[in-house]
Amino acid sequence: MNKPALKETLSQIQRQRGALAKVRAEAEDLEDYLAVLEARARDTGERLPMAAVHRRVAGARGRGVPVRLP
């Protein structure tokens, strides 16, 4: 076997893996950014009064129920 050729091939594979990892990380960042944009686009701007939120949370805690807010 040709050791210099194998070493060169191995170094190419390692560089390609590094480039692929970088692209994957950038794609994940882009996916997170797009998810935030979609959430903002769906946001109606409607806000609940804090008293209503507080009542829901306090009532659910007393019953041991998980709280779900709109």
Side-chain angles (χ1 to χ4, degrees), residues 40 42-48:
R40 286 182 183 171
R42 289 189 189 114
D43 187 10
T44 62
E46 180 184 346
R47 300 292 178 247
L48 294 172

Side-chain angles (χ1 to χ4, degrees), residues 12-38:
Q12 285 177 351
I13 291 171
Q14 289 172 336
R15 284 193 304 268
Q16 290 173 351
R17 284 185 176 175
L20 180 59
K22 183 179 177 183
V23 169
R24 283 183 177 159
E26 290 173 355
E28 287 177 6
D29 290 344
L30 181 58
E31 188 175 330
D32 292 343
Y33 177 71
L34 292 175
V36 168
L37 287 181
E38 287 177 12

